[in-house]
Amino acid sequence: MRGVVFDGKQVQVVDDLEVRDPGPGEVLVGIAAAGLCHSDLSVVDGTIPFPPPVVLGHEGAGVVEAVGPGVAHVVPGDHVALSTLANCGACADCDRGRPTMCRKAIGMPGQPFSRGGRPLYQFASNSSFAERTVVKAVQAVKIPQDIPLASAALMGCGVLTGVGAVLNRARVGRGETVVVIGTGGIGLNVLQGARIAGALTIVAVDTNPAKEEVARRFGASHFLTSTDGVREVLPTGADHVFECVGHTGLVRTAIDLLDRHGQAILLGMTAPKAEAGFLPAAMFLDKSILGCRYGSSRPQRDIPLYAELYRSGRLLLDELVTATYPVEEFARAVEDAEAGKVARGVLTF
Protein backbone atom coordinates (compact mmCIF):
# COMPACT_ATOMS: atom_id res chain seq x y z
CA MET A 1 0.00 0.00 0.00
CA ARG A 2 1.00 3.65 -0.44
CA GLY A 3 2.34 5.89 2.30
CA VAL A 4 4.69 8.77 3.14
CA VAL A 5 7.89 7.63 4.86
CA PHE A 6 10.68 9.67 6.44
CA ASP A 7 13.89 7.64 6.75
CA GLY A 8 15.82 10.23 8.76
CA LYS A 9 17.25 11.94 5.68
CA GLN A 10 14.53 12.24 3.08
CA VAL A 11 10.79 11.84 2.59
CA GLN A 12 9.48 9.36 0.06
CA VAL A 13 6.05 8.35 -1.16
CA VAL A 14 6.30 4.56 -1.31
CA ASP A 15 3.91 1.88 -2.51
CA ASP A 16 5.19 -1.18 -0.66
CA LEU A 17 4.10 -0.51 2.91
CA GLU A 18 2.43 -3.21 4.98
CA VAL A 19 0.44 -2.87 8.19
CA ARG A 20 -0.44 -5.64 10.60
CA ASP A 21 -3.98 -6.73 11.48
CA PRO A 22 -5.67 -5.10 14.46
CA GLY A 23 -5.15 -6.77 17.82
CA PRO A 24 -7.33 -6.62 20.93
CA GLY A 25 -8.67 -3.13 21.48
CA GLU A 26 -7.49 -1.90 18.07
CA VAL A 27 -9.09 -0.70 14.84
CA LEU A 28 -7.92 -0.95 11.23
CA VAL A 29 -8.93 2.16 9.28
CA GLY A 30 -8.78 2.77 5.56
CA ILE A 31 -7.63 6.39 5.28
CA ALA A 32 -9.57 8.56 2.84
CA ALA A 33 -7.99 11.93 3.62
CA ALA A 34 -5.29 13.40 5.85
CA GLY A 35 -4.38 17.01 6.57
CA LEU A 36 -0.80 18.17 6.17
CA CYS A 37 0.02 19.77 9.51
CA HIS A 38 3.14 21.71 10.49
CA SER A 39 3.93 19.00 13.05
CA ASP A 40 4.56 16.51 10.24
CA LEU A 41 7.09 18.89 8.73
CA SER A 42 8.62 19.45 12.17
CA VAL A 43 9.56 15.77 12.27
CA VAL A 44 11.37 16.17 8.97
CA ASP A 45 13.28 19.32 9.99
CA GLY A 46 14.11 17.95 13.44
CA THR A 47 12.04 20.38 15.53
CA ILE A 48 10.11 17.36 16.81
CA PRO A 49 12.61 14.57 17.55
CA PHE A 50 11.20 11.25 16.37
CA PRO A 51 12.92 7.94 15.55
CA PRO A 52 13.08 6.99 11.86
CA PRO A 53 12.03 5.33 9.73
CA VAL A 54 8.52 6.60 10.38
CA VAL A 55 5.25 6.77 8.51
CA LEU A 56 4.10 10.39 8.77
CA GLY A 57 0.65 11.89 9.23
CA HIS A 58 -1.55 12.43 12.27
CA GLU A 59 -4.69 14.26 11.10
CA GLY A 60 -6.86 11.79 9.24
CA ALA A 61 -10.31 10.37 8.63
CA GLY A 62 -11.53 7.26 6.90
CA VAL A 63 -13.64 4.13 7.07
CA VAL A 64 -13.30 1.29 9.56
CA GLU A 65 -12.20 -1.89 7.78
CA ALA A 66 -11.77 -4.26 10.74
CA VAL A 67 -11.84 -4.26 14.53
CA GLY A 68 -9.98 -6.37 17.04
CA PRO A 69 -11.46 -8.26 19.97
CA GLY A 70 -13.12 -6.09 22.58
CA VAL A 71 -14.00 -3.19 20.27
CA ALA A 72 -17.70 -2.39 20.30
CA HIS A 73 -18.17 1.34 19.68
CA VAL A 74 -17.30 1.15 15.97
CA VAL A 75 -17.87 -1.53 13.33
CA PRO A 76 -16.62 -2.02 9.76
CA GLY A 77 -18.15 0.59 7.49
CA ASP A 78 -18.31 3.34 10.11
CA HIS A 79 -16.78 6.70 9.25
CA VAL A 80 -14.26 7.87 11.83
CA ALA A 81 -12.00 10.80 12.55
CA LEU A 82 -8.72 9.79 14.18
CA SER A 83 -7.17 11.40 17.22
CA THR A 84 -3.53 11.11 18.21
CA LEU A 85 -4.35 10.29 21.83
CA ALA A 86 -3.61 6.64 22.47
CA ASN A 87 -4.46 7.15 26.13
CA CYS A 88 -4.91 4.17 28.42
CA GLY A 89 -8.29 5.16 29.86
CA ALA A 90 -7.41 3.75 33.26
CA CYS A 91 -4.83 6.04 34.90
CA ALA A 92 -5.57 8.89 37.30
CA ASP A 93 -5.31 11.52 34.56
CA CYS A 94 -7.66 9.67 32.23
CA ASP A 95 -10.06 9.14 35.13
CA ARG A 96 -10.06 12.88 35.79
CA GLY A 97 -10.98 13.61 32.19
CA ARG A 98 -7.47 14.70 31.19
CA PRO A 99 -6.46 12.16 28.53
CA THR A 100 -3.88 14.57 27.06
CA MET A 101 -1.87 14.09 30.26
CA CYS A 102 -1.90 10.27 30.13
CA ARG A 103 1.73 9.21 30.50
CA LYS A 104 1.11 6.00 28.59
CA ALA A 105 0.14 8.05 25.54
CA ILE A 106 3.40 9.99 25.35
CA GLY A 107 6.80 8.90 24.09
CA MET A 108 6.19 5.25 23.30
CA PRO A 109 5.80 4.92 19.52
CA GLY A 110 4.68 1.59 18.15
CA GLN A 111 5.78 -0.15 14.96
CA PRO A 112 2.68 -1.56 13.25
CA PHE A 113 4.10 -0.95 9.77
CA SER A 114 6.77 -2.77 7.83
CA ARG A 115 8.51 -2.37 4.52
CA GLY A 116 10.60 -5.11 3.01
CA GLY A 117 10.53 -6.91 6.33
CA ARG A 118 11.83 -3.88 8.27
CA PRO A 119 9.58 -2.31 10.95
CA LEU A 120 8.61 1.37 10.70
CA TYR A 121 7.46 3.63 13.50
CA GLN A 122 4.02 5.16 13.74
CA PHE A 123 3.97 8.96 14.14
CA ALA A 124 1.74 10.30 16.93
CA SER A 125 0.16 6.84 17.33
CA ASN A 126 -1.61 7.60 14.06
CA SER A 127 0.33 7.69 10.75
CA SER A 128 -2.56 8.81 8.59
CA PHE A 129 -0.30 9.34 5.54
CA ALA A 130 -0.88 5.71 4.67
CA GLU A 131 -3.72 3.94 2.90
CA ARG A 132 -4.43 1.98 6.07
CA THR A 133 -3.41 2.37 9.68
CA VAL A 134 -4.01 0.57 12.97
CA VAL A 135 -4.96 2.64 16.00
CA LYS A 136 -6.20 2.05 19.51
CA ALA A 137 -9.98 1.91 19.70
CA VAL A 138 -10.11 5.09 21.77
CA GLN A 139 -8.54 7.00 18.86
CA ALA A 140 -11.28 6.11 16.37
CA VAL A 141 -14.19 8.51 16.87
CA LYS A 142 -17.37 7.75 14.97
CA ILE A 143 -18.72 10.65 12.93
CA PRO A 144 -21.85 11.16 10.81
CA GLN A 145 -21.45 9.89 7.26
CA ASP A 146 -22.72 13.14 5.76
CA ILE A 147 -19.53 14.99 6.77
CA PRO A 148 -17.00 14.97 3.87
CA LEU A 149 -13.98 12.96 4.98
CA ALA A 150 -11.54 15.58 3.67
CA SER A 151 -13.14 18.06 6.07
CA ALA A 152 -13.59 15.56 8.89
CA ALA A 153 -9.87 14.77 8.84
CA LEU A 154 -9.08 18.23 10.18
CA MET A 155 -11.05 17.62 13.35
CA GLY A 156 -8.36 15.16 14.45
CA CYS A 157 -5.68 17.80 15.04
CA GLY A 158 -6.21 21.37 13.86
CA VAL A 159 -9.75 21.70 15.20
CA LEU A 160 -9.14 19.77 18.41
CA THR A 161 -6.04 21.85 19.09
CA GLY A 162 -7.30 25.31 18.12
CA VAL A 163 -10.92 25.23 19.17
CA GLY A 164 -10.06 23.09 22.18
CA ALA A 165 -7.44 25.58 23.37
CA VAL A 166 -10.17 28.23 23.50
CA LEU A 167 -13.00 26.20 25.02
CA ASN A 168 -11.10 23.73 27.23
CA ARG A 169 -7.84 25.40 28.27
CA ALA A 170 -8.31 29.17 28.15
CA ARG A 171 -12.07 28.93 28.76
CA VAL A 172 -12.69 32.16 26.91
CA GLY A 173 -15.84 33.85 28.18
CA ARG A 174 -18.58 35.77 26.43
CA GLY A 175 -17.61 39.39 25.86
CA GLU A 176 -13.87 38.86 26.45
CA THR A 177 -11.05 39.99 24.17
CA VAL A 178 -8.75 37.68 22.20
CA VAL A 179 -5.58 38.15 20.16
CA VAL A 180 -4.42 35.35 17.84
CA ILE A 181 -0.82 35.56 16.59
CA GLY A 182 -0.49 33.48 13.43
CA THR A 183 -3.44 32.47 11.25
CA GLY A 184 -2.36 29.11 9.89
CA GLY A 185 -4.42 25.97 10.43
CA ILE A 186 -4.24 26.21 14.23
CA GLY A 187 -4.73 29.97 14.37
CA LEU A 188 -7.86 29.85 12.21
CA ASN A 189 -9.37 27.31 14.57
CA VAL A 190 -8.52 29.49 17.55
CA LEU A 191 -10.34 32.32 15.78
CA GLN A 192 -13.46 30.29 15.26
CA GLY A 193 -13.23 28.88 18.77
CA ALA A 194 -13.21 32.45 20.10
CA ARG A 195 -16.20 33.29 17.91
CA ILE A 196 -18.12 30.23 19.17
CA ALA A 197 -17.23 31.17 22.76
CA GLY A 198 -18.74 34.63 22.26
CA ALA A 199 -15.59 36.75 22.47
CA LEU A 200 -16.37 40.41 21.75
CA THR A 201 -13.13 41.57 20.11
CA ILE A 202 -11.01 39.05 18.20
CA VAL A 203 -7.77 40.41 16.75
CA ALA A 204 -5.91 38.28 14.19
CA VAL A 205 -2.24 39.05 13.56
CA ASP A 206 -0.34 37.67 10.57
CA THR A 207 2.48 39.13 8.50
CA ASN A 208 0.78 37.93 5.32
CA PRO A 209 -1.94 40.47 4.37
CA ALA A 210 -3.49 37.95 1.98
CA LYS A 211 -4.79 36.05 5.01
CA GLU A 212 -7.14 38.82 6.12
CA GLU A 213 -10.19 37.61 4.22
CA VAL A 214 -10.07 34.07 5.59
CA ALA A 215 -9.22 35.29 9.11
CA ARG A 216 -12.31 37.48 9.14
CA ARG A 217 -14.42 34.64 7.77
CA PHE A 218 -13.38 32.46 10.69
CA GLY A 219 -14.16 35.09 13.29
CA ALA A 220 -11.63 37.92 13.41
CA SER A 221 -13.14 41.33 14.09
CA HIS A 222 -9.80 43.00 13.33
CA PHE A 223 -6.79 42.00 11.22
CA LEU A 224 -3.26 43.36 11.65
CA THR A 225 0.02 42.55 9.92
CA SER A 226 2.01 43.41 13.05
CA THR A 227 1.46 43.13 16.80
CA ASP A 228 2.49 46.80 17.01
CA GLY A 229 -1.10 47.81 16.32
CA VAL A 230 -2.79 45.65 18.94
CA ARG A 231 -2.71 48.38 21.60
CA GLU A 232 -4.59 50.71 19.28
CA VAL A 233 -7.44 48.21 19.20
CA LEU A 234 -7.11 47.09 22.84
CA PRO A 235 -5.47 49.94 24.77
CA THR A 236 -5.33 48.04 28.08
CA GLY A 237 -4.38 44.72 26.50
CA ALA A 238 -6.20 41.47 25.85
CA ASP A 239 -7.85 38.93 28.11
CA HIS A 240 -6.34 36.09 26.07
CA VAL A 241 -3.41 36.01 23.64
CA PHE A 242 -2.75 32.82 21.67
CA GLU A 243 0.74 32.33 20.21
CA CYS A 244 0.28 29.98 17.24
CA VAL A 245 3.62 30.38 15.46
CA GLY A 246 6.21 28.81 17.75
CA HIS A 247 8.61 31.78 17.82
CA THR A 248 10.26 32.60 21.13
CA GLY A 249 10.14 36.33 20.44
CA LEU A 250 6.40 36.10 19.90
CA VAL A 251 6.02 34.31 23.22
CA ARG A 252 7.39 37.45 24.88
CA THR A 253 5.11 39.57 22.71
CA ALA A 254 2.06 37.53 23.71
CA ILE A 255 2.84 38.14 27.38
CA ASP A 256 3.43 41.85 26.82
CA LEU A 257 0.00 42.21 25.16
CA LEU A 258 -1.95 40.93 28.16
CA ASP A 259 -4.34 43.00 30.20
CA ARG A 260 -4.57 42.50 33.96
CA HIS A 261 -5.62 38.93 34.74
CA GLY A 262 -4.84 38.01 31.15
CA GLN A 263 -3.64 34.66 29.83
CA ALA A 264 -0.99 33.87 27.22
CA ILE A 265 -1.68 30.46 25.69
CA LEU A 266 1.26 28.84 23.89
CA LEU A 267 0.27 26.66 20.94
CA GLY A 268 3.13 27.10 18.46
CA MET A 269 5.81 24.40 18.54
CA THR A 270 9.26 25.78 19.32
CA ALA A 271 12.53 23.84 19.11
CA PRO A 272 12.87 21.55 22.17
CA LYS A 273 15.67 23.58 23.78
CA ALA A 274 14.60 27.06 22.67
CA GLU A 275 14.23 29.57 25.51
CA ALA A 276 11.92 32.58 25.80
CA GLY A 277 12.30 35.53 28.16
CA PHE A 278 9.79 37.80 29.87
CA LEU A 279 9.56 40.25 32.76
CA PRO A 280 8.42 38.37 35.88
CA ALA A 281 7.34 41.61 37.54
CA ALA A 282 4.62 41.99 34.89
CA MET A 283 3.01 38.75 36.04
CA PHE A 284 2.01 40.04 39.47
CA LEU A 285 -1.17 41.52 38.03
CA ASP A 286 -2.65 38.01 38.01
CA LYS A 287 -1.38 37.22 34.53
CA SER A 288 -0.79 33.63 33.44
CA ILE A 289 1.23 31.68 30.88
CA LEU A 290 -0.52 28.48 29.84
CA GLY A 291 0.88 25.56 27.95
CA CYS A 292 -1.67 23.54 26.02
CA ARG A 293 -1.32 20.04 24.63
CA TYR A 294 -3.73 19.07 21.88
CA GLY A 295 -6.34 21.58 22.98
CA SER A 296 -6.70 19.89 26.39
CA SER A 297 -9.14 17.74 24.46
CA ARG A 298 -11.25 14.70 25.19
CA PRO A 299 -11.64 13.48 21.61
CA GLN A 300 -14.47 11.02 22.20
CA ARG A 301 -16.46 13.93 23.64
CA ASP A 302 -15.13 16.84 21.60
CA ILE A 303 -15.13 15.45 18.04
CA PRO A 304 -18.87 14.56 18.15
CA LEU A 305 -19.52 18.06 19.54
CA TYR A 306 -17.54 19.68 16.73
CA ALA A 307 -19.30 17.47 14.19
CA GLU A 308 -22.67 18.78 15.36
CA LEU A 309 -21.42 22.38 15.42
CA TYR A 310 -20.34 21.84 11.80
CA ARG A 311 -23.69 20.40 10.82
CA SER A 312 -25.44 23.39 12.39
CA GLY A 313 -23.21 25.82 10.48
CA ARG A 314 -21.40 27.18 13.53
CA LEU A 315 -18.05 25.43 12.95
CA LEU A 316 -16.26 25.85 9.62
CA LEU A 317 -14.54 22.76 8.23
CA ASP A 318 -14.94 22.84 4.45
CA GLU A 319 -13.47 26.34 4.41
CA LEU A 320 -10.27 25.06 6.05
CA VAL A 321 -9.55 22.77 3.10
CA THR A 322 -7.80 25.10 0.67
CA ALA A 323 -6.55 22.35 -1.65
CA THR A 324 -6.50 18.57 -1.96
CA TYR A 325 -3.59 16.56 -3.36
CA PRO A 326 -3.21 12.92 -4.33
CA VAL A 327 -0.72 11.42 -1.89
CA GLU A 328 1.77 11.13 -4.75
CA GLU A 329 1.90 14.95 -4.83
CA PHE A 330 3.12 15.22 -1.23
CA ALA A 331 6.07 17.38 -2.26
CA ARG A 332 3.79 19.93 -3.93
CA ALA A 333 1.55 20.01 -0.87
CA VAL A 334 4.60 20.79 1.29
CA GLU A 335 5.71 23.57 -1.05
CA ASP A 336 2.28 25.19 -0.93
CA ALA A 337 2.12 24.89 2.86
CA GLU A 338 5.55 26.40 3.37
CA ALA A 339 4.70 29.25 0.97
CA GLY A 340 1.59 30.07 2.99
CA LYS A 341 -0.72 29.35 0.07
CA VAL A 342 -3.10 27.12 1.99
CA ALA A 343 -4.98 27.15 5.30
CA ARG A 344 -4.76 23.39 5.17
CA GLY A 345 -3.72 21.10 2.37
CA VAL A 346 -5.28 17.64 2.45
CA LEU A 347 -3.78 14.47 1.02
CA THR A 348 -6.23 12.00 -0.49
CA PHE A 349 -5.99 8.27 -1.16
Side-chain angles (χ1 to χ4, degrees):
M1 66 179 185
R2 294 168 295 167
V4 180
V5 175
F6 176 56
D7 64 6
K9 295 182 179 179
Q10 64 178 350
V11 179
Q12 289 181 286
V13 179
V14 303
D15 60 6
D16 56 352
L17 274 182
E18 296 182 358
V19 65
R20 62 171 174 77
D21 293 333
E26 294 181 333
V27 178
L28 175 68
V29 177
I31 299 296
L36 176 60
C37 176
H38 185 72
S39 294
D40 299 301
L41 304 182
S42 293
V43 173
V44 178
D45 68 22
T47 302
I48 296 179
F50 205 89
V54 56
V55 181
L56 297 175
H58 67 287
E59 187 182 67
V63 180
V64 175
E65 293 191 357
V67 300
V71 177
H73 76 290
V74 292
V75 298
D78 282 345
H79 286 201
V80 292
L82 300 183
S83 86
T84 68
L85 276 183
N87 58 295
C88 71
C91 67
D93 284 308
C94 286
D95 192 51
R96 292 174 185 144
R98 302 188 305 198
T100 56
M101 297 296 103
C102 176
R103 287 171 171 80
K104 293 186 178 180
I106 302 173
M108 293 180 286
Q111 293 179 305
F113 298 97
S114 62
R115 185 182 178 213
R118 183 185 181 188
L120 288 84
Y121 285 103
Q122 184 175 38
F123 178 53
S125 302
N126 189 306
S127 289
S128 55
F129 291 172
E131 287 188 76
R132 295 177 185 83
T133 191
V134 170
V135 297
K136 290 184 67 172
V138 72
Q139 296 176 253
V141 184
K142 186 176 178 179
I143 58 173
Q145 295 198 7
D146 59 355
I147 300 180
L149 288 172
S151 300
L154 306 186
M155 289 195 288
C157 178
V159 176
L160 278 176
T161 300
V163 178
V166 175
L167 303 183
N168 301 327
R169 186 65 170 130
R171 299 184 183 273
V172 171
R174 185 172 299 277
E176 293 186 328
T177 57
V178 171
V179 174
V180 181
I181 303 175
T183 61
I186 299 301
L188 289 176
N189 281 296
V190 173
L191 289 172
Q192 69 172 334
R195 170 177 50 79
I196 290 168
L200 181 62
T201 303
I202 305 172
V203 182
V205 182
D206 199 292
T207 56
N208 184 352
K211 292 187 176 182
E212 179 173 2
E213 181 181 353
V214 68
R216 289 186 179 275
R217 186 185 311 157
F218 274 76
S221 59
H222 298 73
F223 182 89
L224 303 172
T225 55
S226 169
T227 56
D228 293 342
V230 171
R231 289 286 181 173
E232 296 180 15
V233 180
L234 300 170
T236 63
D239 295 315
H240 310 274
V241 181
F242 294 81
E243 200 285 335
C244 304
V245 179
H247 186 284
T248 55
L250 292 175
V251 171
R252 168 63 183 268
T253 299
I255 296 167
D256 290 344
L257 290 175
L258 295 176
D259 196 355
R260 298 180 179 191
H261 207 270
Q263 300 180 131
I265 302 91
L266 310 185
L267 297 180
M269 179 64 68
T270 63
K273 295 184 179 180
E275 297 183 357
F278 64 97
L279 300 176
M283 307 305 293
F284 288 101
L285 292 171
D286 285 1
K287 299 179 183 181
S288 304
I289 303 171
L290 302 181
C292 183
R293 180 172 188 253
Y294 204 40
S296 301
S297 297
R298 287 183 275 173
Q300 288 288 346
R301 178 202 66 171
D302 291 348
I303 288 178
L305 168 63
Y306 299 154
E308 291 309 312
L309 287 173
Y310 165 79
R311 295 172 90 192
S312 69
R314 296 176 63 193
L315 182 81
L316 305 181
L317 290 180
D318 302 336
E319 294 82 355
L320 284 168
V321 183
T322 311
T324 59
Y325 309 82
V327 67
E328 291 82 6
E329 296 184 12
F330 175 78
R332 184 165 71 90
V334 171
E335 289 179 5
D336 288 350
E338 292 181 335
K341 294 180 179 180
V342 294
R344 209 51 141 211
V346 175
L347 302 179
T348 58
F349 290 89

